[in-house]
């Protein structure tokens, strides 16, 4: 009896999900409309070390045209706000913990008509332990920035992909 119920559930569940209206974002893989749209995005230069890291992560994730052959249909403009603040004062008035925050404000611009297709912002933060070794603290701050840059790039690509999917 349990096997019959499991079999019915296995057959009925995919049929029920098919009617819910959900569609895969990256249908068609690299040849799909969203992947092709992402590849036509030119990422504008971004100021600073964080900007360099975010831009490189975006170009990697988008498979972007990056001005190589003039195939860009969209331009992604990004402004970053990178903050490092001390938290948790210890008994000897030194900082015991830091918080690194990276915020991005970005716009996806259609190069055919200059229209802003997407105007959004995202952010991410990381906690850093401050230890007695300055080198270890600097290394931790840099690692946090690298990880935050990748996270911001992932968030931007997701929102852009969803927007491109909606505009199809």
């Amino acid at each position: 009896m349990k096997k019959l119920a499991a079999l019915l559930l296995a057959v009925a569940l995919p049929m029920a999900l098919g009617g819910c209206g959900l569609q895969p974002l990256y249908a068609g893989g690299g040849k799909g409309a969203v992947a092709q749209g992402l590849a036509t995005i030119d990422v504008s230069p971004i100021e600073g070390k964080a900007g360099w890291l975010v831009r490189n992560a975006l170009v990697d994730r988008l498979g972007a045209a990056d001005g190589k052959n003039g195939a860009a249909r969209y331009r992604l403009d990004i402004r970053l706000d990178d903050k490092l603040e001390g938290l948790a004062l210890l008994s000897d008035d030194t900082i015991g913990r830091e918080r690194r925050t990276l915020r991005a404000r970005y716009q996806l611009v259609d190069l055919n008509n200059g229209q802003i297709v997407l105007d959004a912002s995202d952010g991410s933060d990381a906690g850093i332990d401050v230890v007695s070794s300055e080198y270890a603290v600097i290394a931790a701050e840099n690692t946090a920035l690298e990880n935050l840059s990748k996270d911001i790039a992932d968030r931007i690509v997701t929102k852009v992909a969803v927007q491109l999917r909606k505009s199809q």
Side-chain angles (χ1 to χ4, degrees):
M1 188 64 169
K2 287 183 180 181
K3 288 183 181 181
L4 180 60
L7 180 63
L8 287 174
L9 183 62
V11 171
L13 188 60
M15 292 180 0
L17 286 176
C20 73
L22 292 177
Q23 297 175 347
L25 185 60
Y26 295 106
K31 302 279 188 222
V34 172
Q36 294 293 318
L38 289 175
T40 63
I41 296 174
D42 181 33
V43 183
S44 297
I46 312 167
E47 287 185 29
K49 181 179 180 178
W52 182 80
L53 289 167
V54 170
R55 185 176 187 283
N56 283 344
L58 284 168
V59 169
D60 288 346
R61 284 158 178 73
L62 294 171
D66 200 29
K68 290 177 187 163
N69 56 9
R73 177 168 178 217
Y74 300 100
R75 184 183 71 239
L76 188 60
D77 298 325
I78 303 169
R79 286 188 311 169
L80 294 176
D81 181 25
D82 179 22
K83 287 186 186 174
L84 185 63
E85 59 186 337
L87 305 170
L89 283 177
L90 301 176
S91 60
D92 60 352
D93 286 335
T94 60
I95 295 172
R97 190 131 172 93
E98 292 177 334
R99 178 180 177 195
R100 184 155 219 160
T101 307
L102 187 61
R103 304 276 179 249
R105 172 74 192 261
Y106 52 96
Q107 294 180 328
L108 182 65
V109 180
D110 189 332
L111 294 176
N112 292 333
N113 55 19
Q115 180 181 354
I116 296 173
V117 178
L118 175 66
D119 186 1
S121 61
D122 263 306
S124 192
D125 61 87
I128 302 164
D129 286 327
V130 177
V131 295
S132 60
S133 168
E134 257 186 73
Y135 175 78
V137 173
I138 292 170
E141 290 171 353
N142 286 332
T143 300
L145 181 59
E146 291 169 10
N147 292 337
L148 292 173
S149 298
K150 292 174 187 174
D151 186 48
I152 290 291
D154 288 339
R155 291 170 186 259
I156 291 171
V157 169
T158 300
K159 280 193 179 173
V160 168
V162 168
Q163 182 63 39
L164 290 176
R165 178 75 173 149
K166 286 179 188 176
S167 64
Q168 291 179 0

